[in-house]
Amino acid sequence: MLASLVGGIFGTKNERELKRMRKIVEQINALEPSISSLSDAGLTAKTQEFKERFQKGESLNKLMPEAFAVCREASKRVMGMRHYDVQLIGGVTLHEGKIAEMRTGEGKTLMATLACYLNALSGNGVHVITVNDYLAQRDAELNRPLFEFLGLSVGTIYSMQAPTEKFHAYQSDITYGTNNEFGFDYLRDNMVFSLEEKKQRGLHYAIIDEVDSILIDEARTPLIISGQSEDSSHLYQMINNIPPKLHAQKEEKVADGGHFWIDEKQRQIEITEVGFETIEDELIQLGLLEAGDSLYSASNLNLLHHATAAIRAHYLYQRNVHYIIGLNPTSQKQEVIIVDENTGRTMPGRRWSEGLHQAVEAKEGMEVQPENQTMATTTFQNYFRLYRKLSGMTGTADTEAAEMKEIYGLDVVIIPTHRPMVRNDQNDLIYLTKDGKYNAIIQEITRIREAGVAPILIGTATIEASEILSDKLTLAGIRHEVLNAKQHEREADIIAQAGSPNSVTIATNMAGRGTDILLGGNWRAKLAQIEEHTEADEQRLLAEWRDNNQAVLDSGGLHIIGSERHESRRIDNQLRGRAGRQGDPGVSRFYLSLEDDLMRIFAGDRVVAMMRSMGLKEDEAIEHKMVSRSIENAQRKVESRNFDIRKNLLKYDDVNNEQRKIIYSQRDEVLSEPSLQAGIEDMHRDVMKGMIGNFIPPESIHDQWDIDGLEDALRKDMGVDLPVSQWLRDNRRLDEEGLIERITDEVLSRYQQRRQNMGDDSAAMLERHFMLQSLDKHWKDHLAAMDYLRQGIHLRGYAQKNPEQEYKKEAFNLFVNMLGVIKSDVVADLSRVHIPSPEEIAELEAQQQQQAAGMELSFEHDDVDGITGEVTEDANPDHQPLQEIPAPASRNAPCPCGSGLKYKQCHGKI
């Protein structure tokens, strides 16, 4: 109440921000006459002038009014579009590192050019991040003429791009690409074997398009570079026979002989005691479990993991809802393709983790692909927080403003519309059953079509719902288009004409983000389909569009029909936002039923009980603000729960992130230092102190010393044969410290002698090789250990311990141990390694490059409930077993695999 009172007197925070920014807009508008009078060459020359002023110490904030005025004038001349005042406000918002919430159709793509131009003047590069390759390519090509006119270069990055091309794209002033590709390149850059192979040149400033989708919906998504682990596909196929023999328990705490209970909110299953016994019996019959053995024993946890994944695949994941069976464009094979629940788009290559994807493949009778082992990983949350300045734009961010501020430090500024919003958002209609709801939607479509020519867009939450509605429309004789994950390649074409008179379009969750629905249809899209169009074609289509546009406006504009409420209000607002662009009229309404998942799981029992008690028939609906409020409250609860999950996951990943920064900075030091000799010598001292301490305990007496064991360890691990026993016999006064010093000096002397024999250049290359090899190997193993730790750390809560604190403590110990093992490995490898010839060193470098090129990439998606999934660009798409290579007569002969390396440096490497 106090907040609303203060807001009434002083204005809300958003109003105060807009008032401040309008003063900047007035400065920009005041410059327009003088900037307009410049010639094209004079306008272009302004860029160099701004750069020089920046180099001399003038801030970007000081340059902003003049730079924005120049960018607007250039846009008028090159693209025929002049930025509105509200777009200037949006540009200021982006430059200040905030999120601009701008309604659909208000021109976010053009607005972003202002902040791009201003920040590119610093010479550090601007990254514009979009949700898919189509939008990245489209926006780059759309804005390229403007930026090149102003003397700036534009680059685009994409998957499977040639390294040289990608390097040049990152050197451009403005680089467009997807969030996945920027994140992958960050990981790849931290796995290279030389600084020249790095592509990115620092993370300075980013503008994220559809920022809510990337920073909220994809927030828990780890990007993973991985390699294949051992194949256990036969296990998934055998255990797939068990779930059909089981059935679910109706209630959580009421034993009714069910084998498991489904927690729909968390999307998990819990196996009952009856279920455990039944699964054990089935596994014994399959020969996977010994008679009398228990699933609870530590050695059988892997079987339990497979069984749980199989049950989830059968009872929680449905075809055409959570996934489809489709053709992989790369391998040309039928496979299980995940459907993104937030956008309705398919995600080819992405795979659920924890064995879930393999279990779904087994359920569908498809070839089961091997699981992967993580080699490098980061989350989008932590990747984007690496940027010095971050900003974003979207049509729907205000509902998530608290999370944006708390996690990323980003304020949300709601930008006013250029023209007043006149869309009519009607109350929800709630029916008893889904059939009643679908019938009511068909009747409403029929009514709208009888009343005029208004186009209709129907939003569904799943592919299944879109196909049910499509069948009902077909039966009713209504022509329509269906846009879901199965027709995603036609998305831009379908959305382009979704505003045509009398058109009916069914869209699953996506409704064309990044593509406007123009009332009357898109005449430019039709013109582009005519191969050799003339000016007469252009005039004809434009005249047709004007007539169609007026007819649609007279019919009330675009009608939005939502067939279901999403868990997030933001997704519903995205659908509503398709109508009412640029002051156009429009209508929106949601049709719900008590059988919808949101109503069934989250909306309170009171609402359901009240509606049933009213004795409503199937074709009757209730329309009341109280019911709509109850649904919104349910959505708020889900959003709040999801935020808590994301925040909790971030606390754990922050620990990983700090360790990741240390490892990656060490890698950079190894790559950039011309000589590692001083560091290697320090490693020798640390390792020797630890090794000798194992055989000569600190402050111990001579009788407790294991000298034979020490001599053996030095011989085996360090390759040195030292007469330690003789030293002690010759010098009775040689104490612990003196012995450590003498042994260390001997080992260091041998290392320095070997280094001298090799030559500085060869030695530096070999030291760098062993350092990077050991860092990468043990970091990979550490990631696996951290993953296992995280999966079980919650159990510490039963011992009245804080799982988060326990995780930090255990993770620290694991990290310290890993650093110790890395040192030991490097010292031992350098002590035992054969001193190579220059030719062998060249082969070693070639081998490193080959290893780097053969890496397998995957991108993993964590869902709200902790279910994970991966995106894999497979280096071995057919998953053929690697053939054994026969040894040639000589180890120096070329390897029979055809790599071009000697056998001893390839498949014969020890």
Side-chain angles (χ1 to χ4, degrees), residues 680-696 710-711 713-715 717-720 722 724 727 736-737 739-751 820 823-825 827-828 831:
I680 300 281
E681 287 180 359
D682 287 340
M683 283 186 185
H684 274 80
R685 292 185 185 96
D686 291 343
V687 170
M688 293 315 303
K689 190 174 180 180
M691 178 190 280
I692 296 168
N694 290 332
F695 300 95
I696 302 178
L710 176 58
E711 288 179 340
L714 287 167
R715 194 178 302 112
D717 296 339
M718 308 303 297
V720 290
L722 298 180
V724 182
W727 294 346
E736 178 190 331
E737 285 185 19
L739 190 60
I740 291 173
E741 188 178 342
R742 187 165 179 184
I743 293 172
T744 304
D745 287 345
E746 287 285 345
V747 171
L748 273 174
S749 176
R750 181 177 181 273
Y751 158 68
K823 287 180 184 178
S824 300
D825 266 14
V827 169
S831 300

Side-chain angles (χ1 to χ4, degrees), residues 186 203-204 378 381-388 657 661:
Y186 165 70
L203 305 176
H204 297 281
T378 188
Q381 282 175 319
N382 277 317
Y383 171 69
F384 285 116
R385 291 194 304 174
L386 293 171
Y387 280 90
R388 291 181 189 174
N657 196 45
K661 285 178 183 175

Side-chain angles (χ1 to χ4, degrees), residues 102-112 209-210 393-395:
M102 190 177 248
R103 294 291 178 97
T104 300
E106 293 289 309
K108 289 189 285 291
T109 306
L110 186 63
M111 171 186 76
D209 193 11
E210 308 297 359
M393 52 190 185
T394 180

Side-chain angles (χ1 to χ4, degrees), residues 583-636:
D584 288 341
V587 181
S588 73
R589 172 170 262 167
F590 281 85
Y591 288 72
L592 316 175
S593 82
L594 296 186
E595 294 175 350
D596 292 346
D597 288 343
L598 183 77
M599 297 288 288
R600 187 171 51 80
I601 301 170
F602 295 104
D605 295 335
R606 189 166 60 90
V607 175
V608 177
M610 179 192 75
M611 289 189 60
R612 293 197 184 281
S613 66
M614 293 170 70
L616 290 175
K617 296 177 183 175
E618 187 176 280
D619 59 348
E620 291 178 330
I622 185 170
E623 176 186 359
H624 198 283
K625 283 186 178 179
M626 188 200 83
V627 180
S628 294
R629 274 200 305 272
S630 294
I631 294 162
E632 277 208 18
N633 286 335
Q635 288 176 307
R636 281 196 184 92

